[in-house]
Amino acid sequence: MRRSGQAEHLVLMVTDDGAGGARQRPGGGLAGLAQRAATVDGTMTVTSPLGGPTTVTIELPMRA
């Protein structure tokens, strides 16, 4: 969990040991995940340099 000002966020991070090069493309799975995170004011970032690794980080706001 991460605090940002007064808000708390749930942080999910997944890393693999693949070849890298993952990108968000319209209609693709990563774009779908980013869209779902955005519906609850969350964010998703993808870091995937050629040669790997790929890391996907999703931050979702915690609400009472």
Side-chain angles (χ1 to χ4, degrees), residues 25-54:
R25 295 183 316 268
L30 290 174
L33 287 174
Q35 184 179 24
R36 285 170 178 81
T39 64
V40 293
D41 298 325
T43 62
M44 184 181 95
T45 57
V46 177
T47 304
S48 187
L50 290 178
T54 296

